[in-house]
Amino acid sequence: MLRFGEFKTKAGRLSPYFFNAGLFNDGAKLGRLAEFYAHRLLDAKLEFDMLFGPAYKGITLAAAVSIELARLGKNVPYAYNRKEAKDHGEGGTLVGAPVQGRVLIIDDVISAGTSVRESIAMIQAAGATPCGVAIALDRQEKATENGNDAPYSAVQWVERQLGLPVCAIATLTDLLQYLQSGSDAQLGTHFASVAAYRDRYGV
Ligand SMILES: O=P(O)(O)OC[C@H]1O[C@H](OP(=O)(O)OP(=O)(O)O)[C@H](O)[C@@H]1O
Ligand SMILES: O=C(O)c1cc(=O)[nH]c(=O)[nH]1
């Protein structure tokens, strides 16, 4: 799921690593990932009425986490958006349960914060209240603000400016510790480039 090489992020940064949640591409892998999200959420004792998964990768994540939460005794509705509005049938951009009450965003990664800002705006536009965010990886990168790098990360912005909790299963710090640990000599060869990226874009 984690790849090393050269990847352009949504914010246009050239990253030596990339977390590809699209590679949780069978039932066992996606189900296992959903277990991590669900346990992380239950441990954090976050209160929420429903889940929202931003397109595209957040869609399967929200669906899988809702199934796992139901299995653990917490059955909540979920919704997601379309990136392109549909102009026939039911129309619109929101799909699934009505977006209402306290809404928890489920996404894969937060980098510079564009996606999470968009999700918050969609939830508020529907008249609901964003109440937190769950992600697999916090890349601990500078947020972008009007196209410029901010001195705080996107997760810090969500937590400090908006007062919303963010639950991450793993962080860039965890990744760097793993790369440096010597557990996998081949993966360890990527430590220097990832550390250099953190020096440039990290907080
Ligand atoms: O914090 P940010 O700088 O916004 O970057 C992280 C976002 O980028 C990706 O979304 P994207 O829309 O690129 O991909 P997807 O359609 O594959 O989900 C990813 O799924 C996160 O939502
Ligand atoms: O910033 C991004 O666009 C991004 C980073 C990453 O590691 N994975 C991903 O899906 N998107």
Side-chain angles (χ1 to χ4, degrees), residues 24 27-43 61 64-69 71-72 169:
F24 291 91
K29 289 181 199 136
L30 186 59
R32 186 84 181 106
L33 179 64
E35 283 175 17
F36 279 98
Y37 275 92
H39 286 287
R40 182 75 184 78
L41 285 171
L42 296 177
D43 289 349
L61 294 175
V65 174
S66 76
I67 293 168
E68 181 59 19
L69 285 173
R71 209 182 62 78
L72 295 170
I169 297 169

Side-chain angles (χ1 to χ4, degrees), residues 8-11 17-21 57 108-109 111 137 139:
K8 191 187 225 176
T9 68
K10 188 164 180 160
Y17 77 102
F18 195 81
F19 178 77
N20 184 357
K57 300 213 188 74
D108 51 355
V109 170
S111 300
L137 179 66
R139 292 179 49 112

Side-chain angles (χ1 to χ4, degrees), residues 113-136:
T114 306
S115 278
V116 71
R117 273 197 296 266
E118 287 169 357
S119 293
I120 288 166
M122 282 186 274
I123 291 165
Q124 289 174 334
T129 309
C131 71
V133 187
I135 47 174

